[in-house]
């Protein structure tokens, strides 16, 4: 890759990259105390973030979504702004979502859409954290999907089957065959985002799809294969759902993210859980990456020799897919060693960010 690309500036051995301020198209901010500890990490890097609705109880109504949005903004207003952002005029907008159930009504969706709720999340019941209220039968959601198709409101899918007879590592690929193919035939103009894709099958399926199909990709699925879960013992901080897959899948995801295709965009799936609940006999699923999200993506794109593709993936493709304006501000990242803390405060507990205690090769400058 040449360093004379307009966004890249080489100074001696250091390299700086300046890109349009990015958005996170998939994040978990939680609520209450946890929310107040994590919201700044996302808001200080991203202009907007699509906030997942899997709270307890889930966000199933417009009223709940708007009230959650004001709790997010309230928590952010109490978070000290880092020195590097002071005077930068930065702003953050949480983009709210509803949690789809078997009984979500078309009326509620129309109300939500006109109130600014941007999308609806489909969790197959039992697929992941707080998904027990999720969809048990996709056919029962057809009146809702019909409405979303008409409104142009995207459906965000946790695309894994929950059938216990299907191997955990195959659940995403099987979801495509069993559900997604038919769903797209029945709703050809419904905007669908396959969230946090983890397999070659998903990358190829999305790439071959039409303009109504897109996908988010996490930093951890670009950086790690499933060996990370078992290196030197069980590593719970690398456990998320969909679970990390074998190396050929990681390679396919890197290829998709760096290909220049507008169908792939950034979604961290940053999912905070207290350390003691991850380091547990039945540890929770979720990697906490918001603390250093753009540093991790820069590392993955740099390793692929594709830093010149980072801006489209992080700052353009998602906005274009959702039909929202691209951001105006910029951020700067520098290739320079950056030490990660061992842990972060999380109320009475601790939060362990991905790569805790290690040095990252990229630093978020401003
Ligand atoms: O690893 C995950 N954690 N995957 C999900 O789908 C949900 C998330 C969470 O909410 O913790
Ligand atoms: Zn998620």
């Amino acid at each position: 890759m040449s360093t004379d690309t307009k966004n890249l500036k080489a100074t001696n051995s250091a390299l700086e990259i300046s890109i349009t301020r990015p958005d996170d198209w998939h994040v978990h901010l939680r609520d209450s105390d946890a929310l107040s500890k994590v919201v700044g990490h996302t808001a200080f890097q991203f202009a907007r973030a699509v906030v997942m609705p899997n709270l307890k109880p889930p966000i199933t109504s417009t009223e709940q979504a708007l009230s959650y949005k004001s709790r997010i903004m309230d928590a952010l207003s109490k978070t000290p702004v880092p020195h590097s952002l002071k005077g930068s005029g930065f702003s953050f907008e949480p983009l709210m979502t509803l949690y789809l159930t078997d009984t979500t009504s078309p009326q509620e969706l129309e109300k939500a859409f006109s109130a600014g709720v941007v999308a609806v999340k489909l969790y197959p019941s039992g697929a992941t954290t707080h998904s027990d209220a999720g969809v048990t039968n996709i056919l029962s959601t057809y009146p809702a999907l019909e409405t979303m198709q008409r409104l142009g409101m995207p459906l965000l899918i946790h695309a894994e089957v929950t059938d216990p007879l299907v191997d955990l590592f195959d659940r995403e690929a099987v979801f495509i065959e069993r559900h997604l193919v038919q769903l797209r035939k029945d709703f050809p103009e419904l905007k669908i985002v396959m969230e946090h894709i983890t397999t070659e099958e998903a990358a190829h399926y999305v790439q071959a799809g039409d303009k109504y199909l897109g996908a988010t990709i996490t930093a951890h699925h670009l950086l790690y294969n499933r060996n990370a879960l078992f290196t030197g013992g069980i590593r719970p901080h690398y456990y998320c759902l969909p679970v990390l897959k074998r190396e050929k899948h990681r390679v396919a995801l890197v290829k998709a993210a760096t290909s220049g295709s507008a169908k792939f965009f950034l979604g961290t799936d940053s999912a905070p859980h207290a350390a003691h609940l991850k380091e547990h006999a039945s540890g929770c699923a979720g990697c906490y990456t918001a603390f250093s999200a753009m540093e991790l993506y820069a590392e993955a794109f740099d390793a692929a020799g594709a830093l010149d593709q980072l801006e489209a993936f992080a700052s353009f493709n998602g906005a274009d897919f959702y039909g929202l304006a691209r951001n105006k501000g910029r951020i700067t990242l520098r290739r320079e060693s950056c030490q990660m803390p061992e842990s972060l405060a999380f109320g009475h507990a601790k939060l362990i960010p991905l790569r805790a205690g290690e040095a990252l090769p990229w630093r978020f400058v401003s």
Side-chain angles (χ1 to χ4, degrees):
M1 187 201 60
S2 72
T3 48
D4 60 1
T5 312
K6 74 175 165 44
N7 294 327
L8 305 179
K9 198 169 74 193
T11 45
N12 302 326
S13 61
L15 180 75
E16 271 195 3
I17 165 166
S18 158
I19 61 168
T20 300
R21 196 144 181 255
D23 299 305
D24 183 349
W25 298 98
H26 184 134
V27 72
H28 298 267
L29 294 180
R30 313 301 192 210
D31 211 343
S32 311
D33 289 349
L35 168 63
S36 67
K37 296 290 183 278
V38 302
V39 65
H41 299 157
T42 293
F44 299 143
Q45 293 210 343
F46 297 101
R48 296 171 290 199
V50 171
V51 182
M52 289 299 124
N54 63 333
L55 301 185
K56 274 256 177 228
I59 303 292
T60 54
S61 72
T62 310
E63 211 179 335
Q64 286 172 306
L66 296 182
S67 146
Y68 184 29
K69 182 173 184 174
S70 61
R71 292 197 298 282
I72 293 169
M73 294 313 284
D74 187 51
L76 182 59
S77 72
K78 294 179 181 138
T79 306
V81 177
H83 192 66
S84 58
L85 282 179
K86 285 206 173 119
S88 69
F90 97 97
S91 66
F92 175 69
E93 185 187 4
L95 301 174
M96 307 312 292
T97 59
L98 286 195
Y99 185 111
L100 188 67
T101 69
D102 289 334
T103 58
T104 303
S105 73
Q107 294 74 16
E108 192 59 46
L109 291 171
E110 299 209 8
K111 188 173 161 193
F113 194 62
S114 41
V117 169
V118 297
V120 177
K121 179 73 186 276
L122 188 169
Y123 290 102
S125 182
T128 188
T129 310
H130 300 164
S131 63
D132 34 310
V135 170
T136 62
N137 174 4
I138 294 187
L139 286 178
S140 69
T141 69
Y142 271 32
L145 302 188
E146 191 82 62
T147 308
M148 290 166 58
Q149 176 171 250
R150 178 165 48 75
L151 295 171
M153 191 181 202
L155 176 70
L156 317 180
I157 306 185
H158 183 112
E160 286 193 289
V161 294
T162 53
D163 182 345
L165 295 176
V166 176
D167 190 281
L168 186 80
F169 292 92
D170 298 334
R171 289 183 181 184
E172 183 174 273
V174 173
F175 188 94
I176 297 172
E177 291 162 18
R178 282 197 193 168
H179 300 296
L180 205 44
V181 169
Q182 190 59 43
L183 193 65
R184 290 185 54 235
K185 275 195 194 134
D186 293 341
F187 298 97
E189 295 187 7
L190 175 64
K191 284 190 190 181
I192 294 177
V193 183
M194 268 190 94
E195 296 293 334
H196 41 54
I197 59 167
T198 60
T199 55
E200 185 176 61
E201 288 88 339
H204 289 174
Y205 182 70
V206 171
Q207 182 62 69
D210 59 23
K211 65 174 181 177
Y212 295 103
L213 183 64
T216 54
I217 307 182
T218 76
H220 44 290
H221 289 100
L222 293 175
L223 289 167
Y224 296 103
N225 64 36
R226 63 191 191 179
N227 287 349
L229 284 160
F230 307 108
T231 305
I234 292 259
R235 303 281 198 121
H237 297 291
Y238 291 88
Y239 174 56
C240 64
L241 287 171
V243 75
L244 293 169
K245 305 294 192 299
R246 25 169 104 242
E247 177 64 3
K248 73 164 183 171
H249 297 292
R250 189 194 69 80
V251 169
L253 296 176
V254 170
K255 197 167 164 210
T258 61
S259 65
S261 163
K263 300 168 74 60
F264 300 101
F265 37 94
L266 185 157
T268 61
D269 197 22
S270 178
H273 290 277
H276 65 278
L277 298 178
K278 285 195 65 67
E279 298 162 7
H280 189 274
S282 175
C284 300
C287 295
Y288 190 64
T289 53
F291 184 75
S292 52
M294 286 309 299
E295 295 91 320
L296 295 169
Y297 280 107
E299 179 179 340
F301 275 66
D302 193 11
L307 281 173
D308 54 344
Q309 297 295 335
L310 182 61
E311 185 175 46
F313 175 81
S315 316
F316 298 158
N317 299 348
D320 296 352
F321 184 89
Y322 274 73
L324 298 172
R326 294 177 178 182
N327 298 319
K328 294 221 160 29
R330 298 188 78 74
I331 62 159
T332 301
L333 296 151
R334 185 182 299 148
R335 189 158 62 196
E336 175 179 274
S337 183
C338 176
Q339 185 62 33
M340 287 286 286
E342 295 287 347
S343 67
L344 302 167
F346 200 54
H348 295 300
K350 277 185 187 166
L351 178 59
I352 310 288
L354 199 80
R355 302 276 279 279
E358 294 179 31
L360 301 185
W362 281 82
R363 177 188 294 278
F364 189 95
V365 179
S366 62

